[in-house]
Amino acid sequence: MSQVDLDEKKLPSEHSMVDWANTAMFGNDWDEAVKRWELVRHHYPKCEIAWINGGIAEKNRNQLRNARILIMYACEKFSTSLKPWIALADIYFDQNDLDGAITILDEIREKFPAAPYPMLRLSQYYISKKKFDEAERYNELARQEFPNNARPFIQFAEISEAKLDDKEAL
């Protein structure tokens, strides 16, 4: 599907175009995914996932500046949605920029106080670095603030398992 195809024929539905762009992402064809998401954004600028996944595709091409621009735009344009903020935090984590990630997570906590994501994501980061005391600290905060959410408790079990695996590896 090229720009010419879209101009000559009736425009496909937003859903069809999103599926088409996702096909490139699922195939890890990041160059093609970037092109397809650009077309989706051009024809459906209110399609939130086109901005987010376009940024993710750029990130996977190591075009981090482009990725941040697209996702930051999504954060502004879709300010009541948590999804672009999560994608932006993940870019900082992927770059091992903990300070940048924490800045975004603090914004998420302020804008979305009912979301346990910031604490769970920090805990996950520390699990990946085998810093289990830090992981447990953030997980405990999540369990205290969100006692009716199962995810912090599941993650607590994952931390315990990771600690055990780490001890056995020694």
Side-chain angles (χ1 to χ4, degrees):
M1 194 178 317
S2 69
Q3 184 67 42
V4 174
D5 293 334
L6 292 176
D7 290 339
E8 291 175 1
K9 298 178 183 177
K10 182 181 175 210
L11 184 64
S13 70
E14 179 178 327
H15 180 77
S16 294
M17 288 189 73
V18 166
D19 285 348
W20 171 69
N22 273 328
T23 300
M25 287 191 70
F26 296 149
N28 296 326
D29 187 348
W30 304 117
D31 292 333
E32 185 63 24
V34 165
K35 292 175 192 172
R36 291 180 183 190
W37 287 119
E38 186 176 354
L39 277 174
V40 177
R41 287 191 308 275
H42 175 76
H43 291 287
Y44 295 101
K46 293 180 182 177
C47 177
E48 176 184 6
I49 199 70
W51 296 93
I52 297 168
N53 282 0
I56 291 169
E58 289 284 13
K59 177 187 76 168
N60 285 307
R61 289 178 50 211
N62 292 316
Q63 299 298 316
L64 298 175
R65 182 178 178 277
N66 293 347
R68 273 195 297 254
I69 288 169
L70 288 170
I71 294 174
M72 287 171 76
Y73 180 80
C75 290
E76 290 174 24
K77 186 173 178 99
F78 308 101
S79 61
T80 60
S81 176
L82 179 59
K83 292 175 193 171
W85 291 96
I86 290 173
L88 187 58
D90 285 345
I91 287 174
Y92 284 97
F93 277 115
D94 289 347
Q95 293 179 281
N96 288 312
D97 181 352
L98 186 57
D99 291 336
I102 287 173
T103 299
I104 299 303
L105 294 176
D106 286 344
E107 286 189 54
I108 292 172
R109 283 192 77 180
E110 183 179 312
K111 292 176 182 295
F112 307 96
Y117 174 81
M119 289 161 284
L120 295 174
R121 186 59 176 95
L122 274 170
S123 183
Q124 189 62 44
Y125 171 80
Y126 286 118
I127 292 169
S128 74
K129 301 296 182 190
K130 298 186 184 295
K131 295 183 177 183
F132 300 117
D133 290 341
E134 288 295 308
E136 285 179 337
R137 185 166 67 92
Y138 284 103
N139 177 268
E140 183 178 0
L141 286 172
R143 285 182 285 125
Q144 287 173 353
E145 283 190 39
F146 303 97
N148 296 323
N149 186 314
R151 185 63 192 123
F153 295 92
I154 293 168
Q155 186 184 64
F156 183 66
E158 292 168 353
I159 294 168
S160 298
E161 188 175 304
K163 285 170 63 174
L164 183 61
D165 289 347
D166 193 53
K167 285 180 183 176
E168 288 177 0
L170 298 175

